[in-house]
Amino acid sequence: MRCAALTLLAGAGHQTLAAQATGEVHGPGTSGPIKRGDQPGYDFQDQYIGVPGKVLADNMEPVVEHPDQAAEAQRKLAELEKRTGKKPNILVFILDDVGWMDFGFNGGGESIGAPTPDVDRIAAQGLNLTSAYSQPSCTPTRASLLTGQLPIHHGLLRPPMYGSPGGLDGKTTIAKLLSAQGYVTQAVGKWHVGENEGSQPQNVGFDDFRGFLSVSDMYTEWRDPHFNPEIAYSPTRTAMIEKAPFNKYDVHVAKGGKIEEVGLITLDYVKDLDQRWADYAVSFLQKQKGSKKPFFLYYGTRGCHFDNYPNAHYAGRSPARNDYTDCMIEMNDIFARLYRTLEETGELDNTLILLTSDNGPEAEVEPHGRTPFRGAKGSTWEGGVRVPTFAYWKGMITPRRSDGLFDLTDIFTTSLGLAGVRGAAPSAAVGKANYLSGIDQTSFLLAKDGASNRRSIAYFWGNRLAAVRMDEFKIQFLAHDSFGTTPNGNHGGFTGTVAPTAGGMMYNLYANPQEDSSVAIRHIPAASGLALEVQRYQQMLKKYPPNIVVNFTGQ
C-alpha cells in the first residue's frame, strides 16, 4: 500500500505543487510564525514545502529568493568594501571526522571531557547552522566544497587510497575562479582529492599549498605495531606499502611548480603535523596584512581523523584523556591561533570564517567523535552527514542559530557571490555542461534574520540517490544497516549493508531525529512535496548524467 502510494506521488507534476504556493516568501525579521489570511495555523521561516524554487540557470540548483534580505546583504557588503577597498577574505576551516556534538556549541565540549572554549565563543558570535550537510566521507565532501558539485557530478564518490587514480584533474575549482577575481589562494593541510599531478593543488587554482596529499591513517597505520602488527612486524609487507604509489611526505608546492618534500610522515613526525601546518597558515595570514588583494584560505586539519598521536603538549590535556579528545583540544587552539592572527593583522573585520567538518564521526575505530543522530561517517543517516558548522564575520553576521538548510557545496557559490560573481553568472563560470549544486547563501548569512536560500538536500550513497530532505521531513530510498553482516563487530557507517527501502520511508527529523520510525504512510500529503522534489532531481540527472571518476567496487 505504502509503496504504491509513494510511486504515484513521485509521478505527479511539479507545477501542481507550485500552484499551491500562496502568500509572500519569508524574509528578514520573519523568523517567528506567520499567519496566512484565514487559513488555520502558521507558516515558519525556512520551510519550503509548497514554495517553488526559482531557476537562475538551467545548470544551477533552483533557489528560494528573499529580495529584502538580499538587498540588506548587498548594502552591508558595499559599505564594507567602501571602507576596506577590496572584496572580503574567506577562511574555510574544515576538520576531519569531527562529529556534530563534539564542540560545546552543539552540546559537547566540557560535557564530553573535551572543552573547546575558543571555538564555542566565536560560534556564539556567529551563525550556527544546525542543519549543515556534508557528504558521507571526506573526499566526496572536499571535492564538493571545492567544485560546488555533488559527487554524482564531480565523480569522486569515495576516497582514493594508497595511490589509486582519480581526482580533481580538469575540474573548475573555487580557487581557480577566485584567482580570476584577484584573490590570493592558499591551501593548507589535508588534500585527499587526487594525487596525480593534474589534481594537485597548484594545478587546480591554488597559488600555494602546504600539507599532505592523502589521508592521515595512510601515513601511519602500517607503521604502527599496535594497530597493524601484521604489516609493521613484517619486512616484506612493510616494503610492499613503501613501494605503493602514494606520496608519504608532508609537502609544499607553489602554483606551476613541482612537489617539494618537507618531511617524511613517521609516527613521531605526525605528532607535530597540525602545529607545523598552523605555523605555516599563521605566516600566510601575517603576509596578507595590509594587502590590497583579498585572500581565500582553505585550511584542512589533520585532526581528528584516526590515528591520533598527541604531541607532548596535548597528550592527556583533555579531561577525558583519550587521543581523540586530546586532539579536539588541539583543534580548538589552532582555530584560536588563526582567529587571533586575523585580529592582529587587522583583517578580522573583512573576513568570513566558516568552520565545518568533512563528515560525521568515524565509528569503526575508537575513540571517535559524537553525534546525537543516527549513523556515522560512511552512511546517509543524519549522523553521517549532518556536521558542526558555523559562519562568523565580525560586524556582518548577527549572532543566532538557524535550522535553515545549508550544504557544503554552498560554500563554493557563496564565495563566488562575495567576490561579485552572482545570480546566474556562476553558470557560465563552471561551464554550462556542468551542473552546479551549490547555492549562494550570502543573504542567509548576512541579513539580520536571514532565511536559507536552499529548498532541499539530496543525499547520495555512491552513485545512488539515497534520500531527500525538505523542511523537517526526509524521504529515504536506501538504508544503511551497520549490523547487517557483522553483528558482533564494529558498527560504523562503512560496516554492514546498504539496501533499498520498501517503496520509500519518511522521517520527521524534528519529532524523530534518530530516524527509527517512518511516518510515510500516515503523512502522504507531506510526502507528496518530497516526492515531487525527487522527481525534479531525477529529471535533472537525465539532463546532466552522472560522472563517475572514483567509485565503490561493484557500483
Side-chain angles (χ1 to χ4, degrees):
M1 175 69 178
R2 176 184 64 232
C3 180
L6 290 176
T7 300
L8 286 172
L9 288 170
H14 188 251
Q15 292 302 316
T16 303
L17 178 63
Q20 297 173 3
T22 59
E24 63 182 282
V25 176
H26 307 294
T30 59
S31 56
I34 301 172
K35 191 71 175 176
R36 295 294 189 208
D38 296 328
Q39 295 296 317
Y42 300 88
D43 284 332
F44 288 87
Q45 182 167 293
D46 294 306
Q47 294 190 345
Y48 299 140
I49 293 177
V51 177
K54 179 177 180 179
V55 176
L56 300 178
D58 190 62
N59 65 331
M60 294 179 68
E61 192 74 354
V63 304
V64 179
E65 290 191 318
H66 308 284
D68 290 345
Q69 75 178 38
E72 178 186 350
Q74 292 308 313
R75 183 172 61 252
K76 293 172 77 170
L77 287 171
E79 291 171 354
L80 182 65
E81 187 169 354
K82 188 176 181 180
R83 293 198 304 271
T84 63
K86 61 181 179 180
K87 298 294 182 184
N89 309 312
I90 302 162
L91 192 166
V92 176
F93 190 88
I94 183 167
L95 297 130
D96 204 342
D97 290 1
V98 171
W100 193 93
M101 206 176 75
D102 279 327
F103 287 110
F105 68 80
N106 276 341
E110 290 183 344
S111 68
I112 58 173
T116 52
D118 296 289
V119 170
D120 298 341
R121 175 174 56 86
I122 303 307
Q125 299 172 41
L127 170 57
N128 184 356
L129 298 161
T130 57
S131 281
Y133 286 88
S134 69
Q135 297 305 306
S137 63
C138 59
T139 295
T141 294
R142 293 162 193 273
S144 291
L145 190 159
L146 291 169
T147 65
Q149 296 184 299
L150 291 181
I152 199 67
H153 285 126
H154 64 61
L156 305 185
L157 305 183
R158 65 159 176 84
M161 300 294 291
Y162 289 91
S164 59
L168 286 181
D169 195 355
K171 302 293 182 186
T172 300
T173 70
I174 187 60
K176 185 179 296 185
L177 295 179
L178 288 179
S179 290
Q181 297 301 315
Y183 276 69
V184 178
T185 56
Q186 174 73 57
V188 175
K190 176 178 175 176
W191 184 240
H192 207 194
V193 282
E195 286 196 47
N196 62 295
E197 189 170 358
S199 297
Q200 292 171 6
Q202 78 277 14
N203 294 321
V204 295
F206 283 99
D207 294 324
D208 189 84
F209 171 72
R210 167 69 186 276
F212 59 47
L213 294 175
S214 194
V215 59
S216 185
D217 61 297
M218 224 171 75
Y219 299 97
T220 58
E221 59 187 358
W222 56 278
R223 300 179 184 274
D224 194 332
H226 292 94
F227 297 120
N228 287 269
E230 67 276 12
I231 302 294
Y233 287 143
S234 168
T236 300
R237 292 174 177 179
T238 296
M240 173 190 71
I241 302 298
E242 288 176 337
K243 294 175 183 176
F246 70 96
N247 185 291
K248 301 168 184 66
Y249 289 81
D250 177 21
V251 304
H252 171 258
V253 64
K255 181 176 284 187
K258 298 292 184 180
I259 291 289
E260 304 167 0
E261 296 171 347
V262 177
L264 181 66
I265 303 175
T266 64
L267 297 184
D268 287 327
Y269 190 95
V270 76
K271 294 178 180 179
D272 300 319
L273 193 53
D274 274 308
Q275 293 300 320
R276 295 172 188 269
W277 291 349
D279 290 344
Y280 196 85
V282 166
S283 177
F284 167 76
L285 292 175
Q286 290 171 339
K287 291 175 184 176
Q288 301 312 304
K289 180 179 180 178
S291 173
K292 295 181 180 180
K293 299 182 72 173
F295 65 79
F296 174 73
L297 172 57
Y298 173 76
Y299 191 101
T301 68
R302 189 221 57 81
C304 291
H305 192 290
F306 71 93
D307 301 308
N308 289 299
Y309 296 88
N311 60 33
H313 180 74
Y314 288 99
R317 202 164 185 84
S318 65
R321 294 188 181 90
N322 67 63
D323 292 348
Y324 185 88
T325 52
D326 289 348
C327 181
M328 284 298 299
I329 303 296
E330 184 176 11
M331 295 305 101
N332 172 84
D333 290 359
I334 287 172
F335 180 81
R337 283 187 66 190
L338 301 185
Y339 179 88
R340 286 196 301 270
T341 305
L342 289 171
E343 280 187 312
E344 293 163 0
T345 58
E347 291 292 339
L348 186 64
D349 291 8
N350 197 40
T351 302
L352 168 64
I353 301 173
L354 288 154
L355 177 146
T356 190
S357 178
D358 60 358
N359 41 248
E362 172 282 320
E364 272 89 2
V365 181
E366 294 184 341
H368 54 69
R370 293 164 176 82
T371 179
F373 306 109
R374 181 176 181 177
K377 174 183 179 179
S379 78
T380 55
W381 298 112
E382 293 296 289
V385 292
R386 204 190 298 197
V387 289
T389 305
F390 70 81
Y392 169 87
W393 194 345
K394 185 179 179 181
M396 295 289 282
I397 289 179
T398 303
R400 65 194 193 280
R401 294 173 72 90
S402 173
D403 200 52
L405 299 182
F406 188 95
D407 191 277
L408 296 193
T409 57
D410 297 345
I411 294 175
F412 178 96
T413 323
T414 303
S415 297
L416 280 182
L418 293 176
V421 184
R422 306 187 183 105
S427 165
V430 300
K432 295 191 176 181
N434 297 307
Y435 193 79
L436 184 57
S437 298
I439 285 173
D440 186 350
Q441 297 273 29
T442 300
S443 70
F444 177 27
L445 302 184
L446 299 188
K448 182 180 179 182
D449 292 311
S452 176
N453 303 100
R454 173 174 286 279
R455 294 181 74 239
S456 65
I457 295 288
Y459 306 68
F460 278 87
W461 194 89
N463 59 3
R464 293 182 283 176
L465 182 64
V468 169
R469 177 180 175 182
M470 289 187 73
D471 303 349
E472 72 269 39
F473 293 103
K474 177 179 178 180
I475 193 167
Q476 180 189 43
F477 307 107
L478 287 178
H480 171 250
D481 179 7
S482 59
F483 293 85
T485 53
T486 53
N488 297 315
N490 295 320
H491 302 128
F494 286 118
T495 308
T497 58
V498 175
T501 60
M505 312 291 279
M506 188 174 78
Y507 309 99
N508 182 326
L509 295 176
Y510 287 169
N512 181 222
Q514 288 300 313
E515 301 175 90
D516 57 10
S517 179
S518 174
V519 298
I521 195 62
R522 191 64 187 87
H523 292 270
I524 291 177
S528 66
L530 277 76
L532 292 167
E533 184 70 354
V534 171
Q535 183 193 42
R536 178 193 70 80
Y537 212 86
Q538 290 171 333
Q539 291 301 312
M540 180 276 292
L541 289 175
K542 290 180 180 178
K543 202 165 189 179
Y544 297 91
N547 170 43
I548 309 301
V549 177
V550 180
N551 199 7
F552 291 93
T553 302
Q555 286 197 20

